[in-house]
Amino acid sequence: WDDRRPIRARSKCLLQIATCLPFALWGPSVAGVELCGVNLPMGQFGAAFVVFWLVGCINVFNLIDGLDGLASALGMIACITLTALSLSVGRNGAAALGLASAASIAGFLLHNWPPARIFLGDAGSMMIGFLVGSLTLMATIGPTGELPLAIPLALVSVPALDTLIAIL
């Protein structure tokens, strides 16, 4: 819809939250977050963290979609990395989703490389952001629900820093 008619930012954010809620409620749960040796228990805020993470990933990939091939190339690299990570920890479902996503993005990237003949638009870049965000959770959450945040942050660091610099 937003590729055809503009949607206000507040409405878009509310729709993104609503879209992420099913994954947050029925997907992998986050009991705690670990970064640099510091463990932060999430408790009842685990689902809220998942929504925050997914909406953040959606928006950073949407905001870097200004350069031909950038969002899709970074999304493909992240999906390939998450496929390898998922295979290494025995999460075959996440690996299959990551591989299918990487292959789909690669096929698109052939036509999105500069000079681009087709474009992601908001729907495509937000879908890549959601895929990367959800795959990071599926691949890295441990059996006790602990999320080691270093790998997910590393995978979205380039689009996140680009977004931060654009905002500043």
Side-chain angles (χ1 to χ4, degrees), residues 104-166:
S104 299
I105 295 169
F108 171 79
L109 188 56
L110 292 173
H111 304 286
N112 186 239
W113 202 253
R117 293 183 300 270
I118 58 174
F119 304 95
L120 283 173
D122 280 354
S125 61
M126 286 195 248
M127 182 62 176
I128 290 175
F130 181 81
L131 281 168
V132 169
S134 59
L135 280 170
T136 56
L137 296 174
M138 292 168 59
T140 58
I141 291 178
T144 61
E146 291 294 319
L147 173 66
L149 209 50
I151 293 170
L153 284 177
L155 287 173
V156 298
S157 63
V158 171
L161 286 173
D162 181 73
T163 300
L164 179 64
I165 290 169

Side-chain angles (χ1 to χ4, degrees), residues 70-91:
L70 182 61
S72 48
L74 289 175
M76 184 183 70
I77 291 167
C79 287
I80 291 169
T81 304
L82 289 164
T83 298
L85 179 64
S86 297
L87 285 172
S88 72
V89 294
R91 304 222 170 109

Side-chain angles (χ1 to χ4, degrees), residues 9-143:
R10 182 182 315 151
S11 300
K12 189 184 291 189
C13 186
L14 289 173
L15 288 169
Q16 290 171 350
I17 290 169
T19 302
C20 294
L21 276 175
F23 187 88
L25 295 174
W26 297 303
S29 60
V30 176
V33 175
E34 187 272 322
L35 182 62
C36 300
V38 176
N39 290 321
L40 179 65
M42 287 285 121
Q44 59 190 353
F45 296 107
F49 176 81
V50 171
V51 169
F52 175 77
W53 174 257
L54 291 175
V55 170
C57 288
I58 287 169
N59 284 299
V60 297
F61 273 90
N62 187 29
L63 290 172
I64 65 161
D65 188 33
L67 216 62
D68 291 348
L70 182 61
S72 48
L74 289 175
M76 184 183 70
I77 291 167
C79 287
I80 291 169
T81 304
L82 289 164
T83 298
L85 179 64
S86 297
L87 285 172
S88 72
V89 294
R91 304 222 170 109
N92 296 334
L97 180 60
L99 184 61
S101 300
S104 299
I105 295 169
F108 171 79
L109 188 56
L110 292 173
H111 304 286
N112 186 239
W113 202 253
R117 293 183 300 270
I118 58 174
F119 304 95
L120 283 173
D122 280 354
S125 61
M126 286 195 248
M127 182 62 176
I128 290 175
F130 181 81
L131 281 168
V132 169
S134 59
L135 280 170
T136 56
L137 296 174
M138 292 168 59
T140 58
I141 291 178

